[in-house]
Amino acid sequence: MDLNRVKQILSSPADIEVKYHNISVWIDEVNEDGRTATVHMRGPLKETNVVEIGELTEAE
């Protein structure tokens, strides 16, 4: 995924499913470096991780 698409997803009112290594995640924010984003897994766990934007994929 690229930075522009991540920003579109963040600003969208729609529930757009994003995956990180086949795990469904919410994007919390784009980090200042513009290459990483803070995400957390969908579901009861609220563990956050910083991941490379290029490793995120939009579910089909």
Side-chain angles (χ1 to χ4, degrees), residues 6-7 11 20 31 59:
V6 170
K7 288 180 178 180
S11 65
Y20 175 69
N31 298 321

Side-chain angles (χ1 to χ4, degrees), residues 13 21-22 24-25 32 38-39 48 57:
H21 295 277
N22 287 327
S24 189
V25 297
E32 288 183 19
T38 302
V39 302
T48 61
T57 57

Side-chain angles (χ1 to χ4, degrees), residues 5-48:
R5 184 60 183 143
V6 170
K7 288 180 178 180
Q8 288 173 350
I9 290 170
L10 280 170
S11 65
S12 173
D15 180 5
I16 301 169
E17 186 177 4
V18 174
K19 293 192 174 189
Y20 175 69
H21 295 277
N22 287 327
I23 298 169
S24 189
V25 297
W26 288 104
I27 301 171
D28 296 320
E29 65 181 352
V30 173
N31 298 321
E32 288 183 19
D33 63 14
R35 296 185 333 260
T36 60
T38 302
V39 302
H40 69 271
M41 289 184 284
R42 290 181 182 239
L45 298 176
K46 296 297 181 195
E47 177 183 339
T48 61

Side-chain angles (χ1 to χ4, degrees), residues 41-60:
M41 289 184 284
R42 290 181 182 239
L45 298 176
K46 296 297 181 195
E47 177 183 339
T48 61
N49 292 299
V50 175
V51 301
E52 294 285 330
I53 288 173
E55 296 181 19
L56 296 172
T57 57
E58 194 168 343
E60 300 194 15

